[in-house]
Amino acid sequence: MDGVRQRWVLSESDLDNFEYEERKCKLIHLRRGEYGNRHVQSWDIKNESEWKEIFEDEKDVLFTSTPSTSVILGSRSNKPHEGLGYMPFSRLIFEGILKRFFVHDSIARTISRNYTAIFSRTTLTYEGVPETAIVYTCRSSAHWENDLALSATYFPDTGSIFAVFYGCNDHSTGKTIMTRITNRIAKSSEDGFCHPMLLVGVFAEIERARMRELVSNAKVALHDIIDEVQINGYRSISRSTSPEHPWLNVYEIRNGLSFWAKLLVDMISHIDELDEGACCRSSQGETFINTGRRIKDRLREIHLEYGALVKDCDMIIDGVTLATNLAIARDNMNDGKQMKSIALVTMIFLPATFVATFFSMTLIELGPSYVWLYPSVTIPLTVIVLSAYWVIVMQPWRERKPELLYLNKNVGKPRETTYCCWV
């Protein structure tokens, strides 16, 4: 089981599974100042030389005896179809980050297994560090674009947190994922930046925004499909895409929301576990518990919002199903009308065909002088058949309601009323 093994260093085969390209990254460091206030530093890093300067200048700052949080925001490649395994730094720098930020080797499995969302935490010991650490890994599903991953290591005794975000989009319109994460971390409360679930909560907020956008886009797309179906019928869907694609897309979003709701419950329960441990550490105590309570309240709000989004997906699916059924029924009615037209045309020519076949039999021999007999028999027979069709099939006289027939038969007669008593 990769998630609980003690090994921290990634193997050569794990490192070979990644691709490397120097791209923009951001390093954020938060720590308490001399007077207990929060001190925030950030660096924009673009190449290997800048990373080496950061490591040389900050080697005594990143790991200190006072509570601190160090976060790397790795950008996503702007090349199409490049996933989280396309690292934004060289292999040498990545190996240095793995060691300096205490990244557990389970991150290789987390990034490569992109078919589902992940939240896990494991308590381990790090070689050379005389304290236990809690290792967190998070990942969003790669079914949709802008998936994200997080690896974080928290040392409870010192309150130090080391984290790396993978796949921060830095080339989209509007506020990028990197900008949103930076703002949320920098604007965190004075006592909140040293809580390990703060970064997990930020991850959940980014995923919430992504899922909301997916549901909103699905609403617009399926409303367009409903309009198209109502105007042009069910066959209009097959002209642009496979008929089942819109439904499968919404079902995938719904399943993703339901699974993330379960992960949020797991996150909330883990905060309770941290609170129980914080009661035993005087360095954290009540402040740590209050911070966890605020994060937990926010996660509960996101959980409720996910429930509402699941209901929106159900509403979309039910609405499209109803619209499709109505369109199919309308198409079937049109087909039925066409079949009636074909039957009527057949009925017009059937008597003439029957008479011609009858007169062509060898039992009946008529000369050219009897040509007048064919239209004399065909025309009356056609009129009789069409009249019978109109009376028997169309039945216009039966369209009158039974109540009107009752009134016509009982005009001027008082209606008898019968009372029933149930005992």
Side-chain angles (χ1 to χ4, degrees):
M1 299 177 65
D2 296 342
V4 297
R5 63 188 183 185
Q6 186 65 35
R7 192 180 74 184
W8 289 78
V9 181
L10 270 71
S11 63
E12 291 295 324
S13 60
D14 289 335
L15 293 173
D16 291 338
N17 289 331
F18 299 114
E19 297 183 25
Y20 305 93
E21 178 190 43
E22 292 185 345
R23 297 191 302 271
K24 176 184 176 182
C25 296
K26 182 179 284 291
L27 172 62
I28 304 174
H29 183 69
L30 299 93
R31 60 182 175 84
R32 295 193 184 279
E34 298 179 358
Y35 302 99
N37 59 328
R38 182 187 58 181
H39 183 67
V40 182
Q41 294 176 285
S42 64
W43 299 265
D44 290 328
I45 309 172
K46 298 180 180 179
N47 51 51
E48 184 174 327
S49 60
E50 294 180 0
W51 274 113
K52 291 181 179 179
E53 292 178 3
I54 292 295
F55 288 160
E56 291 175 359
D57 294 341
E58 298 297 322
K59 61 182 180 180
D60 297 327
V61 177
L62 293 178
F63 191 74
T64 60
S65 58
T66 58
S68 63
T69 298
S70 301
V71 185
I72 294 177
L73 306 181
S75 63
R76 177 186 291 271
S77 174
N78 56 5
K79 298 179 181 179
H81 310 296
E82 293 290 352
L84 301 184
Y86 205 64
M87 292 297 167
F89 12 67
S90 64
R91 178 164 178 166
L92 178 63
I93 295 300
F94 184 54
E95 292 177 355
I97 290 174
L98 294 176
K99 182 177 180 180
R100 187 176 293 272
F101 277 72
F102 307 94
V103 179
H104 191 259
D105 76 330
S106 61
I107 190 61
R109 173 183 58 87
T110 301
I111 292 179
S112 61
R113 299 181 182 179
N114 57 4
Y115 49 84
T116 185
I118 297 174
F119 167 70
S120 65
R121 76 277 190 190
T122 308
T123 301
L124 299 170
T125 57
Y126 188 82
E127 183 179 357
V129 179
E131 60 175 311
T132 59
I134 302 178
V135 176
Y136 298 91
T137 54
C138 298
R139 203 206 195 288
S140 56
S141 175
H143 277 299
W144 310 280
E145 62 180 7
N146 292 333
D147 54 319
L148 200 65
L150 167 67
S151 63
T153 302
Y154 169 60
F155 294 94
D157 292 342
T158 60
S160 299
I161 303 172
F162 301 89
V164 182
F165 280 91
Y166 306 87
C168 298
N169 195 342
D170 192 44
H171 48 76
S172 62
T173 58
K175 281 190 176 181
T176 64
I177 293 178
M178 184 176 290
T179 302
R180 284 186 286 169
I181 294 177
T182 302
N183 292 340
R184 292 181 183 277
I185 295 176
K187 295 179 181 179
S188 59
S189 61
E190 291 289 336
D191 54 352
F193 71 92
C194 290
H195 198 288
M197 289 300 292
L198 172 66
L199 299 178
V200 177
V202 171
F203 187 93
E205 289 278 6
I206 300 300
E207 181 64 10
R208 176 194 67 88
R210 185 174 79 135
M211 299 305 291
R212 283 187 61 184
E213 184 178 1
L214 288 173
V215 174
S216 177
N217 293 338
K219 279 184 178 180
V220 175
L222 289 179
H223 280 311
D224 293 340
I225 292 176
I226 291 174
D227 295 338
E228 184 71 16
V229 167
Q230 292 296 321
I231 296 173
N232 300 320
Y234 179 76
R235 297 182 182 87
S236 62
I237 300 179
S238 59
R239 290 198 297 264
S240 58
T241 181
S242 59
E244 69 277 3
H245 178 72
W247 287 266
L248 292 178
N249 185 32
V250 178
Y251 272 114
E252 286 180 356
I253 296 175
R254 184 186 183 281
N255 293 338
L257 289 168
S258 300
F259 191 76
W260 251 105
K262 296 178 181 179
L263 295 182
L264 288 171
V265 174
D266 194 17
M267 295 176 187
I268 293 172
S269 63
H270 178 61
I271 293 178
D272 295 331
E273 297 172 1
L274 292 174
D275 292 346
E276 294 177 0
C279 295
C280 303
R281 291 187 289 269
S282 58
S283 60
Q284 296 172 334
E286 190 66 25
T287 302
F288 186 88
I289 294 175
N290 290 334
T291 302
R293 186 179 297 115
R294 293 195 300 270
I295 298 174
K296 184 166 58 177
D297 291 341
R298 180 53 187 158
L299 292 177
R300 284 173 177 166
E301 293 176 1
I302 298 176
H303 183 268
L304 292 175
E305 186 172 352
Y306 273 31
L309 292 177
V310 169
K311 292 182 179 179
D312 285 345
C313 291
D314 292 337
M315 179 189 66
I316 294 172
I317 294 172
D318 294 341
V320 174
T321 302
L322 176 60
T324 304
N325 291 336
L326 292 175
I328 293 175
R330 187 187 65 182
D331 292 345
N332 291 336
M333 290 178 62
N334 293 334
D335 294 341
K337 291 179 180 179
Q338 294 177 2
M339 293 302 297
K340 286 183 179 181
S341 301
I342 295 173
L344 182 60
V345 173
T346 304
M347 195 170 299
I348 293 174
F349 290 97
L350 183 62
T353 305
F354 171 76
V355 174
T357 304
F358 181 77
F359 285 160
S360 65
M361 296 173 62
T362 57
L363 298 176
I364 301 175
E365 294 182 1
L366 298 175
S369 60
Y370 290 94
V371 176
W372 59 269
L373 188 59
Y374 178 75
S376 300
V377 176
T378 301
I379 294 174
L381 185 58
T382 303
V383 173
I384 292 172
V385 172
L386 292 178
S387 300
Y389 171 79
W390 177 262
V391 173
I392 297 173
V393 178
M394 302 301 292
Q395 299 178 355
W397 56 277
R398 287 194 176 184
E399 294 181 0
R400 303 176 65 183
K401 295 182 180 180
E403 294 183 13
L404 296 178
L405 294 175
Y406 177 84
L407 292 176
N408 291 335
K409 293 179 181 179
N410 298 276
V411 175
K413 295 181 181 181
R415 175 176 294 182
E416 296 180 359
T417 306
T418 303
Y419 297 93
C420 295
C421 179
W422 295 87
V423 180

